[in-house]
């Protein structure tokens, strides 16, 4: 059957959604997680931010543990975490996802080049988070059907670039672990990636 060129489902959000997921042992738990977002459309408007789990396996947030989200649109951030990011495989199995503290952003900016090294820098009054992707590979397009995606009710389009090396720092201190692999729709991909032109469309009831 020929696919119709106009998707009939509602667009829930569109923008950018890079990530860096780290482990100390390939078969061990996630030891550091980061999910960045730069949203150009959502029911809650525009927004930028970063979710960081310094201790993914600890169900506590600030001030005890640096499991937090910095954003310039908290309503949007809470929506993305509740309805999307918390269902991503690495975050779904991490208790820290349920204990995220929300902080206001004072600065969000990017540096570098997507052909080599790229960086997102996010600041709040007390924290600076720097996410860096090194050795970026060639871009590839993704058309994720609902049954293979995390929510099971969205089709997702995006352009990905994988990185074999990446890091996340909080006030200069790196998250524990290193880049490993992740499962992605019956394939194995790097756990550090850029995701641009990403759109999530609901399937029809």
């Amino acid at each position: 059957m020929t696919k119709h060129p106009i998707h009939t489902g509602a667009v829930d959000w569109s923008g950018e959604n890079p990530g860096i997921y780290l482990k100390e042992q390939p078969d061990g738990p996630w030891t550091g997680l980061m999910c960045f977002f730069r949203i150009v459309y959502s029911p809650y408007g525009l927004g930028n931010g970063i979710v960081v789990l310094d201790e993914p396996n600890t169900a506590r947030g600030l001030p005890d543990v640096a499991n937090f989200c910095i954003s310039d649109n908290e309503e949007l951030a809470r929506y993305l975490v509740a309805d999307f990011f918390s269902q991503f495989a690495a975050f779904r199995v991490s208790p820290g996802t349920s204990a995220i503290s929300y902080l206001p952003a004072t600065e969000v900016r990017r540096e570098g080049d997507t052909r080599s090294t790229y960086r997102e820098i996010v600041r709040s009054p007390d924290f600076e988070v720097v996410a860096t992707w090194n050795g970026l590979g060639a871009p590839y397009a993704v058309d994720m059907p609902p049954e293979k995606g995390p929510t099971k009710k969205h089709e997702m389009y995006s352009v990905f670039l994988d990185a074999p090396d990446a890091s996340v720092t909080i006030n200069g201190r790196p998250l524990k672990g290193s880049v490993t692999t992740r499962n992605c729709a019956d394939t194995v991909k790097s756990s550090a990636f850029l995701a641009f032109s990403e759109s999530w469309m609901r399937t029809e009831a």
Side-chain angles (χ1 to χ4, degrees), residues 66-80:
N67 292 336
F68 59 75
C69 173
I70 302 173
S71 75
D72 57 12
N73 182 339
E74 184 175 329
E75 190 176 26
L76 169 62
R78 288 181 178 275
Y79 162 69
L80 293 172

Side-chain angles (χ1 to χ4, degrees), residues 38-171:
R38 181 177 286 111
I39 305 303
V40 295
Y41 170 79
S42 82
Y44 302 95
L46 302 167
N48 308 275
I50 196 164
V51 176
V52 182
L53 298 186
D54 182 33
E55 296 186 20
N57 300 297
T58 300
R60 298 200 308 275
L62 295 172
D64 301 326
V65 178
N67 292 336
F68 59 75
C69 173
I70 302 173
S71 75
D72 57 12
N73 182 339
E74 184 175 329
E75 190 176 26
L76 169 62
R78 288 181 178 275
Y79 162 69
L80 293 172
V81 170
D83 290 9
F84 295 90
F85 303 161
S86 63
Q87 299 186 58
F88 292 179
F91 286 87
R92 187 174 64 245
V93 300
S94 299
T97 303
S98 65
I100 291 170
S101 302
Y102 290 84
L103 306 172
T106 57
E107 181 181 15
V108 181
R109 63 185 174 90
R110 67 179 85 189
E111 292 180 348
D113 193 314
T114 52
R115 296 171 295 181
S116 55
T117 295
Y118 183 82
R119 186 171 291 114
E120 292 286 359
I121 299 155
V122 184
R123 291 189 174 99
S124 74
D126 297 316
F127 296 100
E128 178 191 64
V129 179
V130 180
T132 304
W133 294 260
N134 298 306
L136 287 158
Y140 58 94
V142 173
D143 180 355
M144 185 76 71
E147 64 272 15
K148 293 186 181 295
T151 70
K152 307 304 179 188
K153 59 183 180 182
H154 291 85
E155 186 169 357
M156 186 272 285
Y157 305 148
S158 189
V159 173
F160 280 72
L161 296 90
D162 288 344
D165 177 61
S167 65
V168 182
T169 61
I170 302 173
N171 293 345

Side-chain angles (χ1 to χ4, degrees), residues 168-184:
V168 182
T169 61
I170 302 173
N171 293 345
R173 175 182 58 81
L175 297 191
K176 296 185 293 291
S178 57
V179 175
T180 180
T181 58
R182 66 187 181 106
N183 295 323
C184 180

